[in-house]
């Protein structure tokens, strides 16, 4: 139950992030209407759910990282094409519009993955340094326990 709850919460988070990006893009370019109707919201929420479920591939440690990334990218690209390209009527703009949308998606995927990878790597390195510091302090503390410290005169 906790895993399903986590997937749904992350899906809502992804949907909110996508909505904010779409709104900012609409305001900055005046290319699209910033108002998003309920059907479009459901499509974005479905894409957020697919992202959240696809992220589970990264928890499978038996598959090497490049393969996990390739599988994750393929799943998201197929979902993006089905949900946004075909239902978003980009096919009416021709092959160039579809190619542009897929290129933008690929660029954003690479950018987000690179940022996430290096941030997680930095956090992992900081955690290991912190653990080493804690271990050293614990060893030092155990040495102090062996030495007699303050002893009250009256018992």
């Amino acid at each position: 139950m906790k895993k399903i709850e986590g997937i749904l919460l992350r899906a809502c988070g992804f949907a909110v992030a996508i909505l904010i990006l779409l709104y900012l893009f609409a305001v900055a370019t005046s290319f699209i209407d910033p108002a998003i109707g309920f059907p479009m919201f459901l499509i974005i929420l479905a894409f957020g759910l697919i992202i959240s479920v696809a992220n589970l591939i990264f928890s499978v440690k038996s598959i090497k990282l490049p393969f996990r990334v390739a599988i994750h990218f393929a799943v998201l690209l197929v979902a993006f094409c089905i949900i946004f390209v075909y239902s978003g009527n980009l096919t009416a703009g021709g092959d160039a519009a579809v190619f542009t949308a897929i290129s933008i998606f690929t660029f954003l995927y690479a950018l987000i993955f690179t940022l996430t990878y290096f941030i997680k790597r930095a956090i992992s390195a900081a955690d290991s340094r912190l653990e080493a510091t804690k271990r050293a302090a614990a060893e030092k503390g155990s040495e102090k326990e062996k030495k007699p410290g303050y002893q009250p005169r009256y018992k």
Side-chain angles (χ1 to χ4, degrees):
M1 189 66 179
K2 287 274 189 191
K3 195 164 200 136
I4 293 172
E5 181 180 320
I7 289 171
L8 292 175
L9 285 174
R10 280 191 300 277
C12 291
F14 287 127
V16 168
I18 292 169
L19 288 169
I20 289 171
L21 288 174
L22 281 176
Y23 179 76
L24 292 175
F25 179 74
V27 168
T29 62
S30 67
F31 179 67
I32 58 174
D33 185 22
I36 294 176
F38 189 68
M40 185 63 174
F41 171 75
L42 290 179
I43 289 172
I44 292 171
L45 189 60
F47 188 64
L49 184 63
I50 291 169
I51 293 172
S52 185
V53 171
N55 283 345
L56 294 176
I57 189 69
F58 289 117
S59 64
V60 179
K61 300 297 182 192
S62 61
I63 302 173
K64 294 187 180 202
L65 182 64
F67 294 120
R68 287 184 280 170
V69 171
I71 292 167
H72 186 259
F73 175 72
V75 167
L76 292 186
L77 185 62
V78 167
F80 175 78
C81 287
I82 291 171
I83 291 177
F84 289 109
V85 173
Y86 295 114
S87 69
N89 203 18
L90 278 177
T91 54
D95 293 338
V98 173
F99 178 75
T100 304
I102 291 174
S103 298
I104 291 171
F105 174 79
T106 303
F107 172 75
L108 288 175
Y109 183 89
L111 180 71
I112 292 169
F113 174 77
T114 303
L115 288 173
T116 304
Y117 176 75
F118 285 113
I119 288 171
K120 283 187 176 187
R121 201 167 127 183
I123 290 171
S124 176
D127 282 346
S128 63
R129 284 194 306 268
L130 183 63
E131 284 297 321
T133 305
K134 282 184 179 180
R135 255 187 273 118
E139 289 172 3
K140 199 176 204 182
S142 65
E143 290 174 9
K144 285 184 179 180
E145 290 174 4
K146 293 176 186 174
K147 298 177 187 175
Y150 171 75
Q151 296 177 358
R153 288 187 183 193
Y154 308 105
K155 291 186 180 180

